[in-house]
Amino acid sequence: VKRPAFLLAFLAIAAAACSGPLGAPAARVPPDTRPVLTSPPAAAPTPNTVARPATTTCTDATASLRPDGPVPKPGNLPANSFMRSVADHGKLVVGVSQDTPPFGYLNPFDNQIEGFDIDLSRLVARAIFGDDGHIEFHVIDPAQRIWQLRDGTVDMVARTFEITCNSKKQIEFSTTYFDSGQRLLVGKNTSYQSLQDLAGKKVCAAFGTTSLDNVLDAPSRPLVTAGRDWTDCLVLFQQGQVDAISGDDVILNGLAAQDQSTKVVGAKFFDQPYGVGVSQAHPEFVRFVNAVLERARTDGTWAAMYNKWVGHGGQAPPPPAAAYRD
Amino acid sequence: LIQALPRGAWLRQGASAVRARAATTPGRLWVVSVVVIVQALLLWVLGSTALISTRSAIDTIGGRTVPSIFEAQMIHETLAEADRSAANAYLLGDLETSGARQDYEQEMSDATRALEQTAEHSGTDRQATQALQDVITLLTQYSGLVETARANNRQGYTVGVAYLRAASALMHEPRDGILARVDRLADVRSQSLADQNASLWLIVAMLGAFFVVDLSLLVVLMVTQGFLRRRFQRRWSLRLLAATVLVVGLTGLVGMQTFTTYRSLVDAQQREFTTLHNLWQMDGLIDDANGQDSLMLVDPSNSDAFNQFFQSDTNQLVDRQLTDDMVAQAAQGNVQFGGDLADAIRNASSPPERRAVVQMLRGYQHFMQADAAIRAKVGSDHQAAVALAVGTNAVQLSGAFRELDGGLDTAIVIDRSDYNSTIASAQPRGMFGFIIPALCIAIAALTFWGLRPRLAEYGL
């Protein structure tokens, strides 16, 4: 053999095999959606200082913009208003949940998203268009609610959106359409009643919610786990990776209905009023949504929705009173 | 006396004695006889060892290592399809028994069987065995999550989707997910292939030594022929001439076989394996892209990420939007776009393969159209989007995928057959097992027989 061609050929083969595409590309997949275990933040408040986040500057977060009057007729929307542009566009895009019964969830039997928030969204769409069929649901995580509004991906968010002063720095809210409160979901065979009982225990809350902030601020310093969504917390609970879930009572009731070995315990330790999220760029749309809510409160629609999704046939409580700042 | 002499002096005396003996005609003839016998013996050993080693290496590469890489790719494909079927079964809700669930069960069963086969082929490879064990463990967890998702889904519990998300994350997680580990298994196999290719150095070295000895034997025989002509006034020693012809013949045979093996190995490993590997890679991309739509419908809040990965996967296949004209032109051999599918058309080596790749192209076009239709429906009409994702006619995603995947599978079968026949043609012919020893014995015998009458003249 005079020249090392044979050798080189084998070397080339070896090199091709080593550096070739046999190591199939790995980064072609969605990011890990598994929740991550996090430690309490280093700057967690000391005991006895638990409170809403200290950055709050507003005095009444639930105070919203007063409607300009009754809901205008669909063909009579104010010129140059956001509602008119939505009508011209042909559909209202709403950010919702698909796994938070009874407010927004995908019914597996008919593949339709339904719930209290969904019916509320349809009320607003019907007020704009006059009929059904002009609504598009964007399923979003709690953590996506604010930025999807800010970048215009969605026109409004109806997704168990807690009205807080911190959120109001970035977006606008409608008046309160549902009063919720933060509680605990634990195993039926446990005696936990409050976050105080869960010192050193693992507690899950959905990422991007005020419930998570509140648990992080708890003086008992539970070990906090952030789930991407509430059902992720339930998975972790059922797998024995967390001892409790802390969130809004109506959401926890929805989770408890899916797992007979759980119970919702303790008193509400934070009020969590729900509002419809709207971009700060469209105050006229906030007033419009408030007008729709006002009408729902007075004409019995709200009570019907409550009975359908939350009350299960019982007597509906009075709807939350609207608070306005102007 | 010998013990009394210093070692160096003994060696010098021995060498002097040999030189003195070789300086005589009979001594020289004895030395030639011994050298030729030793050279023939060396040729026998080197040739046979190179032959056995080549056969063993080609058997290992073509019969075990490359098929095991193929198995790992198949496992990736089957698992990606199983994950998509699990998502489709979930999307179908109470209609899941219509097919997606059966597909899922079949694919999981196929994947498990393929893993068992791979485990058998792993032998004592500890790294591969450990990687396999990890995959099997995670697969058990995965199927547990899918079953829990299913059980919840059938009761109308929304937590089912969270279990399915967790299952899918376990499957697709970039670093430690099941598919990533299966890919690492293929990497381990690829490393084995590289090691085996590197081990061919030894064979190349043996063949080099063989030809050096072979050449020196030829030289010895020719020089001896000349010596006999000068010393004994003979025209030719026919026996030595026959031995020389046999050496030339042996050189030619081994040289031709070496060339054939070299060409076939280069063709198989560099051209056909590369083509086959590209097809496997496309298969993985298509399977992953196909799954993205179903997963997007299961987990719409993560749709941006799914869309990003879908675009990334499909852009590698075709770098622009395909038109009917582009597909028609490509079928005629005029490829007006880039990407792996364009390369596949250009590299198609036979009309059946070209037809298969054109089928892939049409399937890909339908696949992209179905995907666009799904995206247009997401949000406004989830049910219609689901119907498009799981539907099996040509304009629906699963139907288009079958067309695309069918063409790809056909192309893979054709290329794999080509690879197998080429690697088989690299195998040295069976007759070499007899020819090399026979020729070496004949060369030694003819040489000794040719010199024997001359030695007899000296009474030896």
Side-chain angles (χ1 to χ4, degrees):
Chain A
V1 178
K2 288 181 183 174
R3 62 193 182 91
F6 193 43
L7 200 65
L8 288 173
F10 283 132
L11 275 176
I13 295 166
C18 285
S19 61
L22 292 173
R28 298 198 304 264
V29 291
D32 188 4
T33 53
R34 284 175 295 180
V36 290
L37 186 65
T38 55
S39 306
T46 52
N48 303 323
T49 60
V50 64
R52 294 301 234 166
T55 50
T56 300
T57 53
C58 62
T59 51
D60 183 6
T62 59
S64 183
L65 301 175
R66 190 179 299 278
D68 290 328
V71 181
K73 290 195 183 309
N76 197 25
L77 296 170
N80 300 322
S81 68
F82 183 68
M83 298 79 78
R84 174 64 70 85
S85 71
V86 169
D88 292 344
H89 189 229
K91 63 183 176 187
L92 176 71
V93 182
V94 186
V96 299
S97 171
Q98 72 159 2
D99 55 359
T100 313
F103 280 80
Y105 67 99
L106 184 70
N107 185 332
F109 300 116
D110 60 9
N111 266 319
Q112 299 292 339
I113 295 179
E114 52 193 45
F116 191 103
D117 285 340
I118 307 305
D119 282 0
L120 188 62
S121 304
R122 291 190 196 283
L123 283 183
V124 176
R126 212 171 294 137
I128 294 173
F129 297 99
D131 54 19
D132 292 329
H134 296 279
I135 193 162
E136 184 172 310
F137 294 117
H138 272 215
V139 176
I140 56 175
D141 290 335
Q144 295 173 317
R145 293 177 297 194
I146 288 179
W147 68 260
Q148 289 228 350
L149 271 176
R150 286 172 63 88
D151 71 7
T153 305
V154 296
D155 299 326
M156 62 180 244
V157 169
R159 197 201 186 287
T160 56
F161 207 166
E162 312 93 336
I163 304 172
T164 67
C165 287
N166 271 344
S167 297
K168 285 193 81 162
K169 289 176 183 171
Q170 303 180 73
I171 58 159
E172 190 57 77
F173 282 100
S174 70
T175 53
T176 304
Y177 68 83
F178 197 91
D179 276 323
S180 180
Q182 188 169 352
R183 295 177 72 193
L184 284 175
L185 180 125
V186 298
K188 261 186 180 163
N189 57 351
T190 62
S191 57
Y192 303 126
Q193 288 293 319
S194 68
L195 281 177
Q196 294 298 323
D197 302 331
L198 288 159
K201 301 291 182 187
K202 293 175 186 169
V203 178
C204 186
F207 189 72
T209 62
T210 51
S211 295
L212 180 67
D213 296 336
N214 295 334
V215 179
L216 283 168
D217 289 348
S220 56
R221 298 176 71 94
L223 298 172
V224 183
T225 297
R228 214 186 86 187
D229 212 335
W230 291 107
T231 46
D232 294 311
C233 283
L234 184 57
V235 169
L236 292 176
F237 181 85
Q238 290 178 338
Q239 291 179 334
Q241 295 184 49
V242 298
D243 301 290
I245 302 171
S246 183
D248 301 344
D249 51 4
V250 282
I251 294 174
L252 295 183
N253 286 334
L255 298 181
Q258 300 181 51
D259 187 340
Q260 303 304 312
S261 70
T262 63
K263 60 184 177 183
V264 179
V265 298
K268 291 181 184 178
F269 49 89
F270 281 117
D271 288 333
Q272 306 269 49
Y274 292 161
V276 175
V278 177
S279 166
Q280 286 178 337
H282 309 304
E284 76 279 15
F285 189 46
V286 181
R287 294 180 197 276
F288 180 84
V289 171
N290 283 339
V292 173
L293 288 176
E294 197 64 57
R295 188 169 68 184
R297 285 188 192 99
T298 54
D299 68 5
T301 305
W302 186 92
M305 282 165 51
Y306 183 93
N307 279 331
K308 179 180 176 186
W309 298 111
V310 185
H312 304 294
Q315 179 66 37
Y324 298 110
R325 62 176 188 263
D326 65 306
Chain B
L1 179 65
I2 288 171
Q3 284 176 346
L5 288 169
R7 194 179 172 196
W10 179 79
L11 280 174
R12 277 196 297 276
Q13 281 192 357
S16 299
V18 170
R19 272 200 299 274
R21 182 79 187 265
T24 67
T25 298
R28 187 168 184 173
L29 294 177
W30 268 114
V31 169
V32 166
S33 302
V34 170
V35 166
V36 168
I37 289 169
V38 168
Q39 285 177 316
L41 199 64
L42 270 174
L43 284 182
W44 182 350
V45 171
L46 288 170
S48 297
T49 310
L51 179 73
I52 293 166
S53 302
T54 305
R55 281 186 179 153
S56 168
I58 291 173
D59 275 345
T60 307
I61 291 170
R64 221 169 55 205
T65 309
V66 170
S68 69
I69 296 171
F70 182 72
E71 276 168 8
Q73 298 279 354
M74 287 293 291
I75 294 169
H76 179 116
E77 178 189 352
T78 311
L79 289 176
E81 286 182 1
D83 192 52
R84 175 180 49 87
S85 296
N88 283 351
Y90 184 89
L91 289 171
L92 284 166
D94 58 345
L95 299 173
E96 66 166 35
T97 49
S98 63
R101 174 69 189 179
Q102 290 159 12
D103 288 347
Y104 167 76
E105 287 172 350
Q106 183 62 51
E107 283 147 3
M108 287 298 281
S109 168
D110 290 347
T112 306
R113 201 176 312 118
L115 281 167
E116 286 167 358
Q117 280 178 356
T118 306
E120 283 174 22
H121 293 159
S122 293
T124 55
D125 185 343
R126 285 183 60 193
Q127 202 182 354
T129 306
Q130 184 57 51
L132 267 172
Q133 196 57 49
D134 292 345
V135 169
I136 290 166
T137 304
L138 288 177
L139 206 54
T140 307
Q141 290 177 24
Y142 171 83
S143 61
L145 289 169
V146 170
E147 292 311 317
T148 311
R150 182 179 183 233
N152 279 288
N153 192 38
R154 291 181 75 80
Q155 295 178 78
Y157 294 162
T158 56
V159 71
V161 76
Y163 275 102
L164 202 63
R165 273 206 301 258
S168 198
L170 191 62
M171 181 66 78
H172 292 282
E173 205 276 324
R175 280 175 304 156
D176 294 323
I178 296 171
L179 293 180
R181 286 169 189 269
V182 170
D183 290 344
R184 278 210 287 281
L185 198 60
D187 290 345
V188 170
R189 303 294 192 208
S190 302
Q191 186 55 49
S192 300
L193 182 64
D195 293 344
Q196 285 152 14
N197 284 333
S199 75
L200 294 172
W201 272 73
L202 195 60
I203 299 171
V204 173
M206 275 190 284
L207 283 169
F210 176 90
F211 284 113
V212 167
V213 173
D214 186 68
L215 197 65
S216 67
L217 176 56
L218 199 61
V219 170
V220 166
L221 289 173
M222 288 168 70
V223 169
T224 305
Q225 185 76 263
F227 175 73
L228 291 179
R229 283 179 64 194
R230 285 196 307 276
R231 176 67 65 178
F232 297 97
Q233 285 83 44
R234 298 177 66 86
R235 286 184 70 83
W236 294 102
S237 165
L238 289 177
R239 289 162 190 166
L240 278 186
L241 194 61
T244 308
V245 169
L246 288 184
V247 171
V248 172
L250 181 63
T251 309
L253 283 173
V254 174
M256 278 167 54
Q257 184 58 59
T258 302
F259 180 71
T260 306
T261 299
Y262 161 72
R263 283 285 304 272
S264 299
L265 270 177
V266 168
D267 273 358
Q269 296 292 84
Q270 285 192 331
R271 191 169 58 81
E272 285 164 0
F273 181 78
T274 304
T275 305
L276 199 51
H277 184 269
N278 288 344
L279 290 174
W280 285 335
Q281 196 178 27
M282 272 197 276
D283 208 11
L285 287 172
I286 290 164
D287 284 320
D288 289 348
N290 187 34
Q292 305 300 330
D293 271 341
S294 297
L295 293 173
M296 177 189 70
L297 289 170
V298 168
D299 185 14
S301 59
N302 213 13
S303 61
D304 286 347
F306 291 126
N307 187 39
Q308 185 186 334
F309 288 115
F310 181 88
Q311 297 295 340
S312 164
D313 289 344
T314 51
N315 282 345
Q316 287 184 60
L317 295 169
V318 176
D319 64 356
R320 66 198 72 176
Q321 192 172 356
L322 276 182
T323 62
D324 290 339
D325 184 52
M326 280 180 181
V327 175
Q329 290 288 328
Q332 304 299 319
N334 179 20
V335 182
Q336 298 171 337
F337 51 89
D340 291 348
L341 264 171
D343 294 341
I345 289 185
R346 291 191 190 101
N347 294 336
S349 56
S350 64
E353 190 178 353
R354 181 180 291 276
R355 277 197 294 277
V357 179
V358 170
Q359 181 191 335
M360 284 166 62
L361 203 57
R362 293 210 172 92
Y364 176 83
Q365 192 187 15
H366 295 149
F367 182 77
M368 295 303 285
Q369 287 165 349
D371 170 73
I374 289 170
R375 285 172 202 280
K377 292 286 182 189
V378 170
S380 58
D381 191 347
H382 189 82
Q383 206 165 14
V386 169
L388 280 168
V390 302
T392 52
N393 73 39
V395 296
Q396 293 171 316
L397 196 74
S398 292
F401 173 76
R402 282 183 189 173
E403 185 183 9
L404 171 58
D405 201 39
L408 186 57
D409 287 346
T410 306
I412 286 175
V413 167
I414 292 170
D415 275 329
R416 206 173 172 205
S417 169
D418 288 349
Y419 175 83
N420 287 341
S421 61
T422 307
I423 201 86
S425 69
Q427 273 290 15
R429 295 183 182 183
M431 64 177 184
F432 276 93
F434 305 101
I435 283 179
I436 292 174
L439 287 180
C440 291
I441 291 169
I443 290 164
L446 282 168
T447 306
F448 189 74
W449 193 23
L451 296 179
R452 182 85 182 116
R454 304 289 78 78
L455 285 166
E457 290 178 20
Y458 291 91
L460 295 171

